[in-house]
Amino acid sequence: ICLKIHNTVMRECITAHNGYEVKTIGDAFMVAFEEASQAVAFALMAQEELVKAPWPPELLELDQCALKEGPWAGLRVRIGVHCGKADVELNSLTGRYDYFGNTVNKAARMEG
């Protein structure tokens, strides 16, 4: 149920900022935006909306997820943002675009 809540929130925020969901791997999203400012706005909105999401009470009882006062209260996720030109290719099996290259590799390292 938690992954479903997470994915719903992330996808709503992606859509709100005109992002393109390239793919997901587990709970990780790879998203492309036309402008870096859209990516940053998405990241901020995602953190804010995750705190407000209807999480199960058992999860919110954990210290790292508890709703407290301050900027680091509640459940949050790591998000890496990097800008630059990427190689893009249409996947003939899925009909969706995938992104490759140094820009993508750097963004993945920034998140983790």
Side-chain angles (χ1 to χ4, degrees), residues 6-82:
H6 167 270
N7 290 353
T8 298
V9 168
M10 297 299 279
R11 288 187 172 114
E12 288 171 356
C13 295
I14 291 166
T15 300
H17 295 285
N18 299 314
Y20 177 76
E21 182 181 328
V22 178
K23 58 186 161 188
T24 60
I25 302 170
D27 64 348
F29 280 74
M30 179 177 174
V31 183
F33 295 92
E34 191 172 335
E35 300 290 332
S37 60
Q38 292 170 306
V40 172
F42 152 77
L44 179 60
M45 181 182 184
Q47 298 292 14
E48 292 172 341
E49 295 302 314
L50 284 167
V51 169
K52 295 187 242 177
W55 299 105
E58 315 77 67
L59 183 67
L60 297 178
E61 290 172 7
L62 299 172
D63 188 52
Q64 63 267 38
C65 300
L67 297 174
K68 306 174 201 170
E69 292 295 320
W72 301 111
L75 193 135
R76 56 202 173 275
V77 295
R78 294 177 299 173
I79 299 175
V81 175
H82 183 69

